[in-house]
Amino acid sequence: FPVTIIIPIKKLFTSIKSFNWDIYYKETKEKLKDLTRTNYNLALFHLNSGNTSDAIMRFKITSYIDKQKLYPDIEYYLGLCYYITFKYDDSKEHLTNYIEKGLSEKTEEAKFLLSAIENKIDETKTIPSSLGAIYYEQMAKQYGMSLEMHEKEALNSFIAQISSHKNIQKSSSIQKILELGCKTGGVGRALKENGITSIIEAIEPSNILIEEAKASKFQEEPVYSSLKCCDIHEYTSNKTARKKFDIIISHDALNLTPSLLPLFKELETILSSTGFIALSLRITDKKNWTFNNLPCRFLFNKDYIANKIKEAGLKISSQSEILFQNGDKGIAVIITK
């Protein structure tokens, strides 16, 4: 039988009056903070893992419950998520709102995405490294240390082009190697496996990828003698700590700007007199270069690449075509002074 509990009105009001509402409010506020933080962190996790629809849902929940505005960059991340899912009208609305609020942390990224949506990319634009890294970070979440196996054919073709260069046979003269954009360490490990025992220093813009690269080993020894997490273009233009390298390598990483000439000029200054540069780049049949919305990167015309190499005072020693996993055509180029 159902039981009915009757609370006297006087006792009920006494209980309500004696209830400590200040403590309740403070506790609820702290719980909401935790709930906000949990949803925000889950949203970032889903974004980095490539689960963009789940990221959108979590960012929206966070936005709704974030009454104290603890996470002002939610508008930016929603704009980014909608950009990734090709919902450009929604993306533009959130990115514009973020920029208008005058929040500086992600303004560079937001403005770049807007220029891409509005088709206003020109040769002065540079993709913020955080945007360029998103694709590879998502891939790293999925493939981990075997990320390079996802592009095995392109990697093998690139290593073959390096191995066939005549200067590589004089391994005793190769003391220092610089790799720009090492990702999870596939190129460095492949060089070691091919008998290149030189010291390899590496630059990688992504925090997630560089942690994978740190774990990269060959015969129980770390592949890289040093790893720096920084923007490639900032590193090459830094004149305070200039070193000379016998080989400068970059596999599918110099794609954040269409303006290749300044980069090639900087590489020329840190290349030893007998050294060489080995690059792989994705190519396009369009004039000069084109921008790929997702993943964010530039593709280059072969003649444009050749002209910029020449203008930088360098020359092409050899080149061959390579094919990337998604069907993009590319070239592997060996460049000397």
Side-chain angles (χ1 to χ4, degrees):
F1 298 96
V3 178
T4 303
I5 299 174
I6 300 173
I7 302 175
I9 295 294
K10 186 176 179 181
K11 186 176 181 181
L12 178 62
F13 276 103
T14 302
S15 299
I16 293 172
K17 190 175 179 181
S18 63
F19 187 80
N20 194 323
W21 288 100
D22 286 339
I23 293 175
Y24 174 77
Y25 176 73
K26 287 179 181 178
E27 288 179 349
T28 304
K29 193 174 177 182
E30 288 304 312
K31 287 177 181 177
L32 279 173
K33 275 186 183 179
D34 289 339
L35 186 61
T36 305
R37 186 184 304 113
T38 298
N39 277 281
Y40 180 80
N41 288 336
L42 277 171
L44 291 178
F45 171 79
H46 286 307
L47 173 61
N48 290 331
S49 300
N51 306 320
T52 314
S53 59
D54 290 332
I56 291 172
M57 179 189 71
R58 290 292 176 180
F59 279 127
K60 283 186 172 181
I61 291 172
T62 307
S63 179
Y64 180 74
I65 63 179
D66 186 21
K67 304 303 182 185
Q68 295 176 275
K69 305 300 179 185
L70 299 173
Y71 301 101
D73 56 1
I74 292 172
E75 285 274 25
Y76 162 73
Y77 281 119
L78 280 170
L80 172 61
C81 288
Y82 282 122
Y83 179 88
I84 290 171
T85 53
F86 305 106
K87 295 177 180 177
Y88 294 134
D89 288 340
D90 291 330
S91 176
K92 187 174 180 178
E93 179 183 348
H94 286 287
L95 293 171
T96 302
N97 288 341
Y98 178 80
I99 293 169
E100 287 177 351
K101 288 178 181 177
L103 304 169
S104 60
E105 186 177 354
K106 295 289 184 181
T107 299
E108 182 187 2
E109 288 91 335
K111 286 182 176 180
F112 183 88
L113 291 174
L114 270 181
S115 65
I117 292 169
E118 296 170 351
N119 198 26
K120 293 180 179 178
I121 300 289
D122 59 41
E123 198 160 334
T124 66
K125 301 290 185 184
T126 298
I127 304 171
S129 56
S130 60
L131 288 178
I134 284 175
Y135 170 74
Y136 291 109
E137 289 179 356
Q138 290 177 348
M139 296 293 285
K141 287 279 187 180
Q142 183 176 357
Y143 292 100
M145 282 300 296
S146 62
L147 173 61
E148 63 269 14
M149 298 304 291
H150 183 69
E151 292 285 4
K152 187 176 180 180
E153 183 179 343
L155 175 61
N156 289 344
S157 298
F158 182 57
I159 295 298
Q161 184 72 12
I162 295 171
S163 299
S164 65
H165 185 63
K166 59 183 180 180
N167 284 15
I168 207 74
Q169 308 303 327
K170 305 172 185 176
S171 57
S172 60
S173 65
I174 301 171
Q175 301 297 320
K176 290 184 179 180
I177 298 174
L178 172 66
E179 184 179 356
L180 302 172
C182 66
K183 302 185 182 72
T184 57
V187 171
R189 193 159 47 253
L191 289 174
K192 297 290 186 182
E193 289 169 356
N194 279 267
I196 306 301
T197 58
S198 311
I199 294 172
I200 306 176
E201 298 183 21
I203 304 299
E204 172 52 52
S206 164
N207 282 305
I208 292 175
L209 295 184
I210 208 164
E211 288 305 313
E212 296 283 353
K214 284 178 181 177
S216 184
K217 296 187 184 303
F218 175 70
Q219 295 180 351
E220 303 306 316
E221 293 293 324
V223 167
Y224 297 103
S225 62
S226 73
L227 279 160
K228 292 182 181 178
C229 186
C230 66
D231 181 85
I232 291 171
H233 299 277
E234 285 181 10
Y235 175 84
T236 56
S237 61
N238 184 355
K239 295 178 173 59
T240 58
R242 282 292 168 111
K243 296 180 182 178
K244 292 284 186 178
F245 294 93
D246 302 303
I247 306 178
I248 300 171
I249 293 176
S250 186
H251 177 46
D252 191 29
L254 301 184
N255 48 27
L256 297 183
T257 177
S259 185
L260 290 178
L261 180 58
L263 176 62
F264 287 156
K265 284 183 175 179
E266 296 294 347
L267 295 184
E268 193 274 338
T269 64
I270 59 174
L271 181 67
S272 68
S273 58
T274 58
F276 67 92
I277 301 167
L279 305 178
S280 72
L281 297 163
R282 295 178 189 246
I283 58 174
T284 177
D285 292 331
K286 294 183 179 179
K287 185 179 180 181
N288 294 340
W289 52 268
T290 186
F291 175 68
N292 190 346
N293 275 26
L294 196 68
C296 288
R297 60 184 167 216
F298 289 98
L299 288 73
F300 307 94
N301 182 282
K302 286 195 290 186
D303 290 338
Y304 177 78
I305 296 169
N307 289 337
K308 298 307 172 186
I309 290 171
K310 185 177 180 180
E311 287 177 39
L314 298 164
K315 61 182 179 182
I316 294 176
S317 175
S318 64
Q319 72 178 43
S320 63
E321 293 190 358
I322 59 177
L323 186 67
F324 291 94
Q325 193 265 351
N326 70 339
D328 281 352
K329 293 179 181 178
I331 56 168
V333 188
I334 302 297
I335 304 165
T336 59
K337 288 192 172 184

